[in-house]
Amino acid sequence: MKKAVFPGSFDPITLGHVDVIKRALPLFDELIIAIGINDTKKYRFSLKERLSFIEKTFEHVPNLKVETYTGLTTEFCKEVNADFLLRGLRNPADFEFEKAIAITNRRLTGIDTVFLLTSADTSFISSSIVRDLLKHGGDLSQFAPKAVIDGSK
């Protein structure tokens, strides 16, 4: 059974995340969306809201789970017996940043990272852009799934 973990803060989940998740689903028997909890980070949405956004977006997907974790992502991967980490890449800067982490994770734990490039039509979307649109009352329809739009009102 091939199991992957897609970690992130998902504050909030965006259509870029959704794109990567949908394209990753056929690659793995199980995909765990893992919301990392960092007590030093200030989030726009509560953990409960972020969980709800993802669960509602993927409510009819049987091989997808949503979980939360603290600590090292690789330790969480070991706890859930994941074989792979999944990461989305929007641009070359993402690759350079993620490459060093992937090499470290592989060296320390043997867990491989699978990279998927975001689609051209979502490669510019980030959670910070969505949060900024929310702050200023912008239209989220091209940036965030319906669950985020409905939950932000």
Side-chain angles (χ1 to χ4, degrees), residues 44 130-138:
R44 164 69 169 84
V130 172
R131 289 192 304 270
D132 199 44
L133 285 168
L134 277 166
K135 181 178 176 181
H136 299 288

Side-chain angles (χ1 to χ4, degrees), residues 1 4 8 17 27 41 54 78 91 113 123 132-133 142:
M1 180 173 184
H17 294 123
L27 303 176
K41 189 172 178 182
I54 298 169
K78 287 195 272 185
N91 54 51
T113 302
S123 65
D132 199 44
L133 285 168
Q142 297 180 59

